[in-house]
Amino acid sequence: MLDDFFVRALLAGIGVALVAGPLGCFIVWRRMAYFGDTLAHAALLGVALSLLLEVNTTLSVFAVSVAIAMLLLGLGRTQTLSSDALLGLLSHSALAVGLVCLAFMTWIRVDLTGLLFGDILAVSKLDLLTIYVGGAAVLLGLSLIWRALFAATVNPDLAAAEGMRPERANFLFTLLMAGVIAIAMKVVGVLLITALLIIPAAAARRFSGGPEQMALIAAGLGVLSVVAGLYGSLNFDTPSGPSIVVAAMVFFGLSLIPLPGKRRIWNR
């Protein structure tokens, strides 16, 4: 029989993977990996503020991630720096400020390793409720803007001409990204969130025949990565969060093996 904490860890990881897979497809299609890193690093600043102000950690991380995203959009319109330079500036600045804030709060004991790399084995029933309720809200929101968001990804000008309001879809996508990072932080940590978003989606691209199919395959590969990573962590006594990412990397490596007679139907 499996221990309760391990069952909770499995359920938490599966819940995050089901949400991260479809959302990660848009990150891959839009080449926004660095943007995801920036929001993930901002999560540590959200944790520091939640401890300082004694507010809910998930809500604080969500609020800080949205604030960083809005700041990025605002600075991007000034055109004083390139987008990659802005991403690097905000990403590392948010991470550094978060670490400095945590260092100043000497009256609070903080598990920094758990924040950076996740502590999925310590997931509580309340965390599970947050993951599944928040994940359901994110998937519902993604389904509502899927058509407009995909059109904006393929051709923003054409999407605007057809009245799909791509700017609104992009803004809502940013909110969904912040939501996923807020609920996934405890599972894989600040430094590994982007990996769980990107790697299953990148592996699914090889086998997909369309965008919806790629989203489903990415979610499935994410679930398999969680299960394989946790069982590997249990058997080999390795850190749980990194083990999940390593399992995802193994699936990605397998997806690169040439399959004779099989041709990729859908590229972009």
Side-chain angles (χ1 to χ4, degrees), residues 24-263:
C25 291
F26 281 99
I27 296 178
V28 171
W29 296 332
R30 291 172 161 233
R31 300 177 182 178
M32 292 176 63
Y34 209 0
F35 180 75
D37 260 339
T38 302
L39 295 188
H41 290 173
L44 193 63
L45 178 57
V47 172
L49 290 178
S50 73
L51 294 173
L52 181 63
L53 302 176
E54 297 183 354
V55 296
N56 182 270
T57 303
T58 301
L59 294 179
S60 178
V61 169
F62 176 77
V64 170
S65 298
V66 171
I68 291 293
M70 296 302 102
L71 181 61
L72 178 63
L73 292 176
L75 291 175
R77 290 174 181 172
T78 64
Q79 297 182 347
T80 55
L81 287 174
S82 62
S83 59
D84 60 335
L86 281 174
L87 285 168
L89 186 152
L90 289 177
S91 173
H92 301 299
S93 297
L95 182 63
V97 171
L99 288 170
V100 169
C101 289
L102 289 174
F104 272 115
M105 290 185 282
T106 55
W107 63 91
I108 299 175
R109 290 190 61 185
V110 179
D111 180 11
L112 192 57
T113 302
L115 290 176
L116 294 178
F117 300 104
D119 193 8
I120 190 173
L121 297 179
V123 168
S124 65
K125 292 181 180 179
L126 180 60
D127 293 328
L128 277 179
L129 181 64
T130 301
I131 289 171
Y132 278 90
V133 172
V138 169
L139 288 178
L140 177 61
L142 185 61
S143 67
L144 293 176
I145 65 170
W146 178 277
R147 186 168 175 269
L149 187 61
F150 187 73
T153 301
V154 175
N155 192 323
D157 295 331
L158 182 60
E162 293 184 358
M164 293 186 179
R165 302 175 67 182
E167 289 188 359
R168 185 185 69 170
N170 292 335
F171 173 73
L172 293 175
F173 175 69
T174 300
L175 294 183
L176 297 179
M177 279 275 293
V180 168
I181 288 169
I183 65 176
M185 186 185 63
K186 192 162 188 176
V187 174
V188 288
V190 169
L191 299 182
L192 303 179
I193 290 173
T194 314
L196 194 61
L197 284 164
I198 294 173
I199 299 175
R205 191 168 188 169
R206 169 77 185 279
F207 308 107
S208 61
E212 292 82 5
Q213 187 180 13
M214 179 172 165
L216 292 174
I217 294 175
L221 288 176
V223 170
L224 290 176
S225 300
V226 168
V227 174
L230 283 177
Y231 274 100
S233 172
L234 182 66
N235 291 326
F236 299 107
D237 194 25
T238 54
S240 303
S243 296
I244 292 172
V245 177
V246 168
M249 277 300 303
V250 170
F251 286 119
F252 176 74
L254 293 175
S255 74
L256 299 179
I257 298 175
L259 299 177
K262 182 175 176 62
R263 184 177 58 179

